[in-house]
Amino acid sequence: MDTVSAGLEFEKVHVWRGDRHVLQGVSAHIRRRELLHISGPNGTGKTTLLRVVSGLLRPEQGSVSWLGRSITTYRTEYHADLAYASHEPALKGDLTALENLRFSVGLKRRVSAQELLGALNRAGVGACADLPARVLSAGQRRRVAMARVLAMNASVWLLDEPYTNLDASGAELLSGLLKAHVEGGGLALVVAHHELAIPCGVRRLELHS
């Protein structure tokens, strides 16, 4: 199978939360150089879908595959290709921005301080490298979380509300990073409430209650 065309696929995903049917047979196929914008009202399962695609949550029915192989049997290889950013930046407050990246990215791969500083600079927070995360603004923490995604060197980005707390310049920078990632051969699934003004292969999946 052509792995470029195979990409990332989830098929007929069903998830219940108690007696509530949150995701009802949701399917999509995302190839490299594509971005899937996941939208919909609150409570329609957008974050749940990202958790399923990341492998953090197993659906009651349905499947997820990467490069034509199930992520349940190809887990190690898939996670090596994956960068997941939840709607909370998930930074340790007493660690500096650089230390946060060294800890989290270091769990995945060997990485140098220069690489991490480069990621912080690309995210526009290089000047915050030695500051504890607890003193950073909400927008700066969001940028540090994005620097962590960059430093993962992953093909697949799963981003849950990455524009939250970003000002206009931060939103423009993030859109540029997404564009560069997709045009460089990566793919992305992005949960966002607003339209994405990114001149690349953007498709949309709207979830309904």
Side-chain angles (χ1 to χ4, degrees):
M1 179 180 290
D2 181 351
T3 58
V4 173
S5 62
L8 179 65
E9 183 173 16
F10 48 93
E11 185 175 10
K12 297 179 181 177
V13 170
H14 290 265
V15 175
W16 281 263
R17 188 177 296 134
D19 60 356
R20 181 166 169 257
H21 199 173
V22 180
L23 295 175
Q24 304 183 38
V26 179
S27 301
H29 183 184
I30 310 95
R31 295 175 175 83
R32 293 185 186 272
R33 297 184 175 85
E34 288 186 337
L35 185 154
L36 183 68
H37 172 200
I38 302 170
S39 62
N42 291 338
T44 52
K46 299 183 297 297
T47 294
T48 298
L49 179 59
L50 279 194
R51 288 175 58 81
V52 169
V53 175
S54 72
L56 292 173
L57 177 66
R58 181 167 291 189
E60 279 80 4
Q61 294 179 32
S63 62
V64 181
S65 60
W66 168 236
L67 304 182
R69 299 170 65 180
S70 169
I71 66 168
T72 59
T73 56
Y74 191 44
R75 184 176 299 273
T76 300
E77 294 85 350
Y78 177 57
H79 284 174
D81 280 338
L82 177 69
Y84 175 67
S86 66
H87 62 282
E88 295 294 337
L91 303 176
K92 297 181 181 295
D94 290 333
L95 297 183
T96 67
L98 182 60
E99 288 169 341
N100 267 284
L101 264 62
R102 182 181 293 120
F103 173 76
S104 55
V105 179
L107 292 174
K108 183 168 185 175
R109 70 181 188 91
R110 297 186 65 176
V111 63
S112 69
Q114 284 304 113
E115 285 182 90
L116 298 177
L117 285 170
L120 288 168
N121 282 324
R122 287 182 65 195
V125 280
C128 301
D130 296 323
L131 296 177
R134 57 182 163 76
V135 307
L136 302 180
S137 70
Q140 288 171 329
R141 290 196 296 272
R142 182 67 61 184
R143 287 177 182 242
V144 173
M146 194 61 214
R148 182 171 54 205
V149 170
L150 292 170
M152 293 288 187
N153 281 351
S155 300
V156 180
W157 288 4
L158 307 181
L159 310 182
D160 194 355
E161 297 291 358
Y163 288 89
T164 302
N165 298 129
L166 291 179
D167 58 16
S169 64
E172 183 178 3
L173 183 145
L174 174 57
S175 293
L177 293 174
L178 281 165
K179 179 177 181 290
H181 175 66
V182 171
E183 290 183 343
L187 62 85
L189 278 68
V190 180
V191 169
H193 284 287
H194 58 81
E195 293 296 328
L196 301 183
I198 303 173
C200 60
V202 177
R203 293 164 49 208
R204 184 170 178 178
L205 172 64
E206 185 164 4
L207 301 182
H208 303 277
S209 55

